[in-house]
Amino acid sequence: MRIGEVLAARRRACGLSQVELAQRLTELGCEVSNQAVSKWEKDMTQPNARQFLTLCEVLEIADVRGEFSGGRAGLLSGLNPEGRRLAQEYIQLLRESGRFALRSPVQEVVPLRRLPLYSLAVSAGTGQFLDGEDYEMVEVGAEVPEGSNFGVRVSGDSMEPRFHSGQTVWVRQQRSLMTGEFGIFLYDGNAYLKQLVARDGRVALHSLNPRYDDILISDALPLRVLGKVLTA
């Protein structure tokens, strides 16, 4: 397949006239006339390397070898038009996902932070969670959600399967939560990792593990919200 024939077909597929294609090339730093485009398409002359690469960008030619060999070579060789279309759609999905994007060789260095890490098991029953000295300072990086003020080491299986014994969850300190949110609570002298729920018009601390009953909050005992769990 002639180069000029491919260029003309792709230009028409993109809905561009020769004048419009010349304008697009000029906007991208390759100043050419529509007469030059006409000569390329008639194979009277050929674009130089820079012009050719810019043409491929404007005409959305991703598989250059495949396009100019009629599908006999290139990344998508051996595929019919429908197969080529599906392969290109999948490539676009990979781009849009962001998971496979090119990264700069010089990555931004995320500064380490030092945050207090508490243990629910040790703090339970003391009534002094966040107010005492029973914690350790740990260095954390980008793996810890922004806005975290402290961490809590989970004890027990009452929040399985989402939270596991020994797991560290990171928490933003705040005094209130919305129903359905997970938080760290202080109630009746004990510290808990639970989900805040409403049961029959009353507030309750819910365990995800069905083996454990909800803790109904009494009006006689204050419930203190220590923070919202940010760990997914």
Side-chain angles (χ1 to χ4, degrees):
M1 185 177 290
R2 296 183 297 108
I3 291 179
E5 183 180 346
V6 173
L7 293 177
R10 290 298 305 174
R11 173 180 59 77
R12 289 190 291 268
C14 292
L16 297 173
S17 67
Q18 291 181 343
V19 172
E20 290 170 332
L21 177 55
Q23 290 173 342
R24 292 285 299 277
L25 293 171
T26 299
E27 291 169 0
L28 293 174
C30 290
E31 189 170 350
V32 298
S33 64
N34 60 299
Q35 290 85 359
V37 173
S38 177
K39 290 181 179 180
W40 294 340
E41 292 184 356
K42 294 176 181 177
D43 282 314
M44 297 173 61
T45 60
Q46 291 188 350
N48 61 34
R50 183 183 179 191
Q51 292 167 338
F52 178 73
L53 292 175
T54 309
L55 275 167
C56 290
E57 178 182 349
V58 173
L59 299 178
E60 301 176 0
I61 301 174
D63 184 12
V64 177
R65 290 186 62 198
E67 192 76 33
F68 288 93
S69 69
R72 295 187 304 274
L75 181 63
L76 306 180
S77 62
L79 296 177
N80 63 19
E82 177 66 8
R84 296 168 68 85
R85 182 185 66 79
L86 291 173
Q88 289 169 348
E89 285 183 359
Y90 184 66
I91 290 172
Q92 185 59 32
L93 286 174
L94 293 177
R95 289 196 184 102
E96 293 173 356
S97 74
R99 294 176 56 199
F100 307 98
L102 281 173
R103 304 299 180 189
S104 170
V106 180
Q107 296 289 338
E108 180 181 356
V109 177
V110 178
L112 294 177
R113 294 171 286 163
R114 287 178 58 81
L115 295 178
L117 175 61
Y118 297 84
S119 170
L120 278 177
V122 173
S123 300
T126 66
Q128 298 297 316
F129 196 80
L130 295 189
D131 298 325
E133 300 179 354
D134 193 7
Y135 63 87
E136 59 180 303
M137 297 299 295
V138 295
E139 285 192 341
V140 299
E143 76 282 359
V144 173
E146 288 291 330
S148 299
N149 302 113
F150 63 93
V152 172
R153 188 176 291 113
V154 179
S155 177
D157 63 352
S158 67
M159 294 303 285
E160 294 276 3
R162 182 161 182 171
F163 302 103
H164 313 286
S165 186
Q167 175 184 354
T168 296
V169 297
W170 296 99
V171 185
R172 179 175 62 226
Q173 192 168 359
Q174 58 186 64
R175 293 185 175 182
S176 62
L177 290 178
M178 300 289 290
T179 300
E181 291 183 325
F182 294 93
I184 305 298
F185 303 91
L186 191 64
Y187 180 68
D188 195 18
N190 294 305
Y192 298 98
L193 162 62
K194 298 293 180 185
Q195 184 181 30
L196 187 67
V197 298
R199 291 283 185 267
D200 301 322
R202 294 177 61 183
V203 173
L205 300 181
H206 175 60
S207 298
L208 299 181
N209 190 333
R211 293 170 48 204
Y212 295 84
D213 295 330
D214 289 350
I215 301 172
L216 293 176
I217 303 304
S218 168
D219 294 335
L221 295 172
L223 174 68
R224 181 182 172 191
V225 177
L226 302 179
K228 177 181 177 180
V229 174
L230 302 183
T231 303

